[in-house]
């Protein structure tokens, strides 16, 4: 079995994080996750799987525990910002309609 260097492993990890960012950002642009109930399940599954990847990378010494926490925290912050923006917009739309 060939040995994989830390740089390559970190690049792979960051590519997987980027896939989740793209998923979140596509929903930010369309704000359609309220109409797509599966979105939350998909994101939860992706985040869980990615957290396992990060945990494995920490155990292998590819990244530090702090780096892993930062990567996951950034993803979670992006997701929370999307939900906040959606609910703020929904609240404003309801106020504009007099609901």
């Amino acid at each position: 079995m060939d040995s994989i260097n830390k740089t390559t492993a970190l690049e792979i990890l960051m590519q997987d994080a980027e896939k989740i960012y793209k998923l979140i950002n596509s929903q930010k642009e369309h704000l359609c996750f309220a109409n797509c109930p599966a979105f939350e399940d998909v994101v939860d599954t992706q985040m869980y799987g990615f957290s396992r990847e990060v945990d494995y990378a920490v155990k292998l010494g590819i990244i530090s525990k702090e780096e892993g926490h930062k990567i996951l925290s950034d993803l979670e912050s992006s997701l929370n910002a999307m939900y906040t923006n959606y609910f703020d917009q929904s609240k404003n739309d309801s106020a504009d309609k007099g609901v």
Side-chain angles (χ1 to χ4, degrees):
M1 176 190 258
D2 291 331
S3 171
I4 188 165
N5 67 40
K6 287 184 179 185
T7 303
T8 302
L10 186 56
E11 286 174 9
I12 292 168
L13 190 63
M14 295 313 294
Q15 287 171 1
D16 288 347
E18 186 61 30
K19 289 177 188 175
I20 298 171
Y21 275 118
K22 286 179 181 179
L23 176 65
I24 293 168
N25 285 326
S26 72
Q27 293 300 315
K28 277 184 188 177
E29 291 172 13
H30 302 350
L31 290 176
C32 67
F33 66 90
N35 298 325
C36 308
F39 173 73
E40 191 171 337
D41 289 340
V42 170
V43 170
D44 285 348
T45 301
Q46 293 291 317
M47 289 293 290
Y48 177 76
F50 186 69
S51 72
R52 301 296 59 177
E53 270 185 79
V54 168
D55 186 49
Y56 189 64
V58 168
K59 287 178 182 177
L60 291 176
I62 294 168
I63 59 174
S64 69
K65 191 174 187 176
E66 292 76 21
E67 289 171 312
H69 179 73
K70 171 111 174 72
I71 292 168
L72 290 170
S73 178
D74 289 348
L75 277 171
E76 289 171 356
S77 293
S78 181
L79 184 60
N80 288 336
M82 182 199 62
Y83 279 114
T84 299
N85 289 339
Y86 173 77
F87 289 117
D88 287 347
Q89 183 176 349
S90 294
K91 184 178 169 183
N92 290 337
D93 289 349
S94 293
D96 290 343
K97 292 178 183 175
V99 175

